[in-house]
Amino acid sequence: QVQLVESGGGLVQAGGSLRLSCAFSGRTFSTNTMGWFRQAPRKEREFVATISWSGGRTVYADSVKGRFTISRDNSKNTVYLQMNSLKPEDTAVYYCVPMVAGKALDDYWGQGTQVTVSS
């Protein structure tokens, strides 16, 4: 059974930092681009960042550029999202997902991890 488990969320004050992890088991996604997405209450899920299979190429949403860093360790089947200078508008449930041809593989959405940033 394939599982993606996000962790590392929590409550933090504005300006603080969190590091999210996404561990996958049951199969390897080391040849897939991996993405982080988020969904705030009453809003659509939105793209945050992606990282290529080798880690050599990253893409960020404008809203997080310069504050968030995506990385991966294929030997550990884990993808990370370092979030610095957090803002209240970053409050959301964060999800990681494997991607193909620029699209998320919908079969693999996990339960997400809640990030709450207080002002």
Side-chain angles (χ1 to χ4, degrees):
Q1 182 181 0
V2 179
Q3 278 191 314
L4 280 84
V5 180
E6 300 92 343
S7 62
L11 174 63
V12 64
Q13 287 188 331
S17 298
L18 285 173
R19 190 194 194 202
L20 306 184
S21 298
C22 170
F24 35 94
S25 60
R27 62 159 285 181
T28 179
F29 292 107
S30 60
T31 59
N32 285 87
T33 291
M34 295 293 296
W36 282 98
F37 291 75
R38 66 186 182 186
Q39 187 167 19
R42 299 174 297 280
K43 290 189 176 181
E44 296 287 322
R45 187 176 291 168
E46 65 175 3
F47 160 76
V48 175
T50 59
I51 185 167
S52 62
W53 69 272
S54 67
R57 184 171 184 267
T58 56
V59 180
Y60 297 92
D62 287 344
S63 58
V64 306
K65 203 172 292 182
R67 300 187 297 122
F68 291 11
T69 303
I70 188 172
S71 61
R72 66 190 297 165
D73 185 339
N74 287 335
S75 67
K76 296 181 178 179
N77 285 344
T78 303
V79 180
Y80 305 96
L81 186 68
Q82 177 67 43
M83 306 187 297
N84 299 328
S85 302
L86 282 161
K87 303 175 181 180
E89 51 263 44
D90 294 319
T91 294
V93 178
Y94 284 71
Y95 303 87
C96 73
V97 67
M99 303 182 70
V100 172
K103 294 185 178 181
L105 293 177
D106 287 336
D107 288 345
Y108 298 108
W109 292 105
Q111 85 289 347
T113 186
Q114 175 71 48
V115 171
T116 303
V117 184
S118 63
S119 56

